[in-house]
């Protein structure tokens, strides 16, 4: 329990109903933790360009098909990708525009020049 008095109680009162719950913070940490893997981020980056089958992802990223499939299972578990079957091939794409937007915003942010070092 926090026994400190706030410096700005009015400001805290205005945002108290919008504070992130512990449960949602845990889910978000799990989500971002899943993306803390170079290969998964590279797969997301490729899928941001379009839909690809496991073999094409493996070739593009110089990975084995089994490694790609493993990473895709993890991405699917957290609802980042979806798939469709066409004959014997399975094609993956990003689940929705939220995932694409998240990827694009982070990539853009990392490409920005740091104003403190410019």
């Amino acid at each position: 329990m926090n026994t400190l008095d706030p410096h700005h109680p009015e400001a805290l009162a205005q945002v108290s109903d919008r504070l992130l719950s512990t449960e949602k913070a845990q889910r978000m940490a799990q989500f971002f933790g899943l993306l803390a893997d170079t290969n998964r981020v590279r797969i997301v980056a490729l899928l941001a360009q379009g839909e690809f089958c496991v073999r094409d992802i493996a070739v593009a990223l110089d990975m084995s098909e089994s490694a790609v499939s493993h990473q895709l299972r993890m991405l699917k578990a957290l609802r980042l990708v979806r798939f469709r079957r066409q004959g014997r091939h399975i094609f993956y794409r990003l689940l929705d525009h939220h995932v694409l937007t998240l990827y694009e915003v982070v990539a853009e942010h990392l490409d920005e020049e740091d104003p403190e070092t410019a």
Side-chain angles (χ1 to χ4, degrees), residues 48-97:
Q49 307 306 311
E51 180 181 74
F52 295 94
C53 69
V54 172
R55 177 172 290 179
D56 289 344
I57 296 169
V59 169
L61 302 181
D62 194 26
M63 296 172 64
S64 71
E65 287 184 50
S66 64
V68 168
S69 292
H70 172 73
Q71 299 299 346
L72 286 167
R73 275 192 301 279
M74 297 180 80
L75 291 170
K76 187 174 170 280
L78 279 182
R79 300 179 7 206
L80 289 171
V81 300
R82 68 169 131 185
F83 69 93
R84 69 174 178 87
R85 291 186 187 277
Q86 183 176 333
R88 296 182 348 182
H89 298 284
I90 301 175
F91 290 85
Y92 285 86
R93 64 183 167 193
L94 297 182
L95 181 71
D96 60 24
H97 71 279

Side-chain angles (χ1 to χ4, degrees), residues 15-118:
V15 299
S16 65
D17 61 333
R18 294 186 305 266
L19 291 175
L20 189 62
S21 71
T22 301
E23 185 271 332
K24 189 165 185 178
Q26 288 172 337
R27 288 179 31 223
M28 289 177 76
Q30 180 185 17
F31 177 90
F32 286 116
L34 179 76
L35 289 176
D37 177 272
T38 303
N39 288 324
R40 286 190 288 271
V41 171
R42 292 178 72 218
I43 290 170
V44 168
L46 179 62
L47 296 179
Q49 307 306 311
E51 180 181 74
F52 295 94
C53 69
V54 172
R55 177 172 290 179
D56 289 344
I57 296 169
V59 169
L61 302 181
D62 194 26
M63 296 172 64
S64 71
E65 287 184 50
S66 64
V68 168
S69 292
H70 172 73
Q71 299 299 346
L72 286 167
R73 275 192 301 279
M74 297 180 80
L75 291 170
K76 187 174 170 280
L78 279 182
R79 300 179 7 206
L80 289 171
V81 300
R82 68 169 131 185
F83 69 93
R84 69 174 178 87
R85 291 186 187 277
Q86 183 176 333
R88 296 182 348 182
H89 298 284
I90 301 175
F91 290 85
Y92 285 86
R93 64 183 167 193
L94 297 182
L95 181 71
D96 60 24
H97 71 279
H98 297 109
V99 179
L100 177 60
T101 300
L102 176 65
Y103 166 75
E104 290 174 338
V105 167
V106 171
E108 182 181 320
H109 173 73
L110 294 175
D111 288 341
E112 290 177 355
E113 194 172 308
D114 184 354
E116 292 185 12
T117 60

